[in-house]
């Protein structure tokens, strides 16, 4: 290869033994089939940046499908996409490895699915988005650890530049606008001048609006899963991308404030909460839509083809904030049990959003207490314990447990003994079965 560098040391230092072994095995398997295997894309980029990336993408010069079938014969689970000659092998862990066949793609018209023609690593790399993503590492016995860099990705990475591979990159695939902004912000790169120009004309030329709702949804979802989405949201605003994607959307300083709070609260609280990941992106979306008219908010939901469940979460977040503020407000002390009752059935992600979106301190504090403590509170006694106290099976048991929860939330009981005493005192007539006690 004309542009190469030996990464053997770097790989030993930065990658786990397990990853190095896996790469060796992949390389050996390819050689046994007279093919060549390369690690490519984000994995290579992140290795050079010293960032961990467990998503392994492999390109096979040869026949990727035959390569995957060979692993299947060895007992590994594979899923193959014959038409695109791509697929995935699942190694123990589980560790998924994406496999592609080095190919030359032609985009027949913008935004179309590519069709596969002949093969070659260089062409495969050339059809990618940015120079920093278009490097490969050879995995063969003889060329093990050689960085293959045809397009100056290494130099751009060193200089901190994000640069498209060619002038049609955004035209071929406008979702790269999102990718550019995401990578620039996450990796602290600077978009090179020509790339800025091309991105701007992609946005101004309206290509983003040609994307299907599902593709936009998937990009927005990925964007909002970044550890710090705000800089990317702002950058997309600078480019005017939101306005093109969602006409009429008002993204302003209020959006920034809510997004910032959401990120801080999520970081601080996520250990106290059951996994929110599935709806976290939706409440970021709520923050984005917060300052816009209801008609715009609804048209965004349509444009993104949200599922009924997603619509429900988003609508609750956006349209019930006022009602929630009424329920949770009040100058005097509110008992924790009242707050919990008001929030019954509200997804925790929505509570998190309301905590970020409200400007009323007292309400924010109550929501945060609910999220950190109260939502987890349960009585110490179980239904079984109530029966053992001599109460009869039936709806009364549930009622007692509910009342006990209220008592516990409001601090009337602490220990198990206090709970038992509280139940016996509160429901004296109903526990006649003293023999069983
Ligand atoms: N790619 C591309 N155009 C796209 C999507 C992906 O050219 N619209 C290329 C990129 O070169 C990327 C590779 O396909 O490196 C793999 O894509 P993906 O796994 O989505 O990207 P990563 O670079 O690994 O990014 P991330 O770290 O965000 O997952």
């Amino acid at each position: 290869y004309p542009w190469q560098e030996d990464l053997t040391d770097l790989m030993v230092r930065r990658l786990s033994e397990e990853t190095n072994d896996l790469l060796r095995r992949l390389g050996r398997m390819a050689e046994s089939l007279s093919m060549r295997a390369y690690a490519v894309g984000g994995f290579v980029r992140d290795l050079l940046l010293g960032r961990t990336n467990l998503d392994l993408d492999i390109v096979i010069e040869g026949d990727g499908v035959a390569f995957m079938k060979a692993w299947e014969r060895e007992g590994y689970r594979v899923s193959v996409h014959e038409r695109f000659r791509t697929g995935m092998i699942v190694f123990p862990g589980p560790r998924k490895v994406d496999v592609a066949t080095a190919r030359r793609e032609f985009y027949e018209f913008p935004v179309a699915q590519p069709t596969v023609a002949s093969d070659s690593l260089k062409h495969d790399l050339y059809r990618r988005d940015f120079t920093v993503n278009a490097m490969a590492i050879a995995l063969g016995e003889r060329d093990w650890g050689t960085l293959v860099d045809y397009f100056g990705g290494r130099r751009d990475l060193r200089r901190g530049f994000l640069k498209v591979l060619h002038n049609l990159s955004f035209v071929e695939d406008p979702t790269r606008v999102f990718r550019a902004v995401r990578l620039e912000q996450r990796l602290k790169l600077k978009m090179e001048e020509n790339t800025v120009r091309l991105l701007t004309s992609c946005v101004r030329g309206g290509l983003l609006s040609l994307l299907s709702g599902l593709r936009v949804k998937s990009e927005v979802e990925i964007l909002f899963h970044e550890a710090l989405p705000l800089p990317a949201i702002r950058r997309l605003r600078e480019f005017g991308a939101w306005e093109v994607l969602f006409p009429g959307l008002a993204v302003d300083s209020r959006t920034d404030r809510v997004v910032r709070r959401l990120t801080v609260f999520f970081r601080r609280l996520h250990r106290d909460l059951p996994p929110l990941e599935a709806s976290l992106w939706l409440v970021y979306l709520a923050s984005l839509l917060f300052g816009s008219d209801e008609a715009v908010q609804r048209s965004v939901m349509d444009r993104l083809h949200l599922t009924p469940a997603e619509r429900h979460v988003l609508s609750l977040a956006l349209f019930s904030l006022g009602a929630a503020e009424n329920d949770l407000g009040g100058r005097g002390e509110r008992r924790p049990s009242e707050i919990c009752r008001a929030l019954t059935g509200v997804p925790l992600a929505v509570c998190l959003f309301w905590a970020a979106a409200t400007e009323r301190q007292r309400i924010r504090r109550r929501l945060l207490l609910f999220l950190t403590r109260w939502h987890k509170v349960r009585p110490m006694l179980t239904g079984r314990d109530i029966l053992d106290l001599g109460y009869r099976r039936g709806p009364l048991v549930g009622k007692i447990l509910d009342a006990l929860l209220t008592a516990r939330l409001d601090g009337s009981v602490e220990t198990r003994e206090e709970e038992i005493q509280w139940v016996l005192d509160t429901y004296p007539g109903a526990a006649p079965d003293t023999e069983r006690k």
Side-chain angles (χ1 to χ4, degrees):
Y1 315 103
W3 298 271
Q4 60 182 48
E5 180 182 333
D6 180 11
L7 297 186
T8 330
D9 285 349
L10 190 71
M11 290 166 77
V12 172
R13 268 189 287 123
R14 298 253 172 88
L15 300 176
S16 67
E17 212 175 304
E18 186 208 343
T19 302
N20 271 307
D21 279 354
L22 183 59
L23 292 171
R24 287 231 182 246
R25 291 174 63 202
L26 290 161
R28 257 186 242 130
M29 173 66 94
E31 278 182 342
S32 75
L33 301 165
S34 309
M35 304 178 190
R36 288 162 179 275
Y38 300 86
V40 295
F43 178 83
V44 179
R45 175 198 74 210
D46 288 345
L47 171 69
L48 293 168
L49 286 171
R51 299 173 67 100
T52 312
N53 183 339
L54 294 176
D55 295 336
L56 192 49
D57 282 306
I58 299 292
V59 162
I60 300 294
E61 267 188 334
D63 180 356
V65 173
F67 177 79
M68 287 181 275
K69 296 250 156 98
W71 286 104
E72 192 171 33
R73 282 195 297 277
E74 304 249 313
Y76 294 93
R77 197 159 64 76
V78 306
S79 77
V80 177
H81 198 319
E82 298 267 356
R83 181 160 158 236
F84 294 110
R85 305 181 19 166
T86 58
M88 183 186 76
I89 313 171
V90 186
F91 289 95
R95 177 107 193 238
K96 294 176 186 157
V97 173
D98 285 313
V99 177
T101 306
R103 63 197 180 176
R104 196 168 173 170
E105 276 180 353
F106 299 103
Y107 284 82
E108 279 159 0
F109 52 92
V111 218
Q113 292 271 29
T115 47
V116 179
S118 87
D119 55 357
S120 116
L121 178 69
K122 187 172 177 185
H123 278 107
D124 186 279
L125 294 172
Y126 191 60
R127 80 192 161 85
R128 288 162 190 267
D129 46 8
F130 308 107
T131 59
V132 297
N133 283 340
M135 294 178 278
I137 300 176
L139 303 178
E141 208 62 70
R142 255 194 274 142
D143 52 6
W144 169 258
T146 304
L147 177 75
V148 184
D149 176 18
Y150 292 104
F151 311 109
R154 184 75 175 109
R155 187 196 55 214
D156 288 339
L157 214 49
R158 280 217 176 90
R159 296 194 307 189
F161 277 136
L162 187 73
K163 188 172 155 192
V164 282
L165 272 172
H166 54 75
N167 285 355
L168 289 179
S169 191
F170 293 118
V171 177
E172 281 174 354
D173 184 350
T175 62
R176 289 173 175 167
V177 167
F178 285 96
R179 295 179 55 81
V181 167
R182 230 170 55 221
L183 287 178
E184 182 194 48
Q185 301 302 324
R186 189 204 308 158
L187 305 176
K188 307 261 180 298
L189 301 174
K190 186 172 163 33
M191 234 184 268
E192 165 262 2
E193 218 172 284
N194 185 47
T195 302
V196 169
R197 196 175 55 76
L198 295 167
L199 189 151
T200 308
S201 56
C202 171
V203 173
R204 298 231 173 104
L207 282 182
L208 280 182
S209 36
L210 296 181
L211 289 171
S212 74
L214 286 177
R215 292 197 77 195
V216 177
K217 179 181 173 185
S218 138
E219 291 303 325
V220 170
E221 225 176 308
I222 299 174
L223 186 78
F224 290 157
H225 278 121
E226 290 288 312
L228 287 177
L230 184 59
I233 292 176
R234 279 188 173 159
R235 190 76 162 126
L236 286 166
R237 174 171 65 209
E238 263 171 54
F239 284 121
W242 294 121
E243 178 59 32
V244 173
L245 282 164
F246 308 127
L249 193 76
V251 187
D252 52 22
S253 57
R254 202 151 46 129
T255 317
D256 291 9
R257 202 161 58 231
V258 179
V259 170
R260 202 177 299 117
R261 284 194 201 122
L262 201 52
T263 306
V264 172
F265 295 164
F266 179 68
R267 280 202 170 176
R268 217 176 331 139
L269 304 187
H270 75 275
R271 271 182 230 96
D272 294 314
L273 303 172
L276 287 185
E277 272 71 17
S279 30
L280 188 65
W281 84 272
L282 276 174
V283 295
Y284 271 117
L285 181 61
S287 315
L288 192 75
L289 300 181
F290 186 52
S292 304
D293 296 342
E294 189 174 325
V296 174
Q297 294 172 334
R298 293 201 184 274
S299 75
V300 172
M301 294 189 209
D302 292 340
R303 166 86 166 104
L304 295 179
H305 298 299
L306 296 191
T307 64
E310 290 167 337
R311 262 176 186 273
H312 171 71
V313 170
L314 196 58
S315 307
L316 194 64
L318 289 170
F319 307 139
S320 301
L321 173 61
E325 286 180 328
N326 284 340
D327 283 353
L328 303 173
R331 293 220 149 265
E333 272 309 304
R334 295 287 305 271
R335 277 181 283 143
S337 63
E338 291 177 67
I339 303 296
C340 288
R341 207 167 304 127
L343 294 172
T344 306
V346 178
L348 294 177
V350 172
C351 296
L352 194 70
F353 171 75
W354 287 343
T358 185
E359 292 302 335
R360 292 165 61 183
Q361 288 299 338
R362 202 187 298 265
I363 291 174
R364 190 189 333 282
R365 212 182 48 240
R366 286 172 182 159
L367 280 159
L368 292 175
L369 279 165
F370 174 74
L371 285 163
T372 45
R373 299 200 216 142
W374 301 336
H375 84 93
K376 285 185 288 198
V377 173
R378 297 288 174 274
M380 293 179 110
L381 300 186
T382 62
R384 182 71 252 161
D385 295 325
I386 305 295
L387 294 177
D388 287 349
L389 286 176
Y391 295 91
R392 277 186 219 297
R393 193 179 293 281
L396 178 65
V397 177
K399 208 169 129 195
I400 294 178
L401 286 173
D402 277 351
L404 194 52
L405 175 61
T406 301
R408 171 160 281 282
L409 278 166
D410 297 341
S412 316
V413 292
E414 266 188 36
T415 63
R416 192 181 153 84
E417 284 63 40
E418 282 172 11
E419 285 200 354
I420 292 175
Q421 198 53 55
W422 186 90
V423 172
L424 294 174
D425 291 348
T426 316
Y427 297 88
D433 200 355
T434 34
E435 270 166 44
R436 283 181 61 197
K437 231 170 30 174

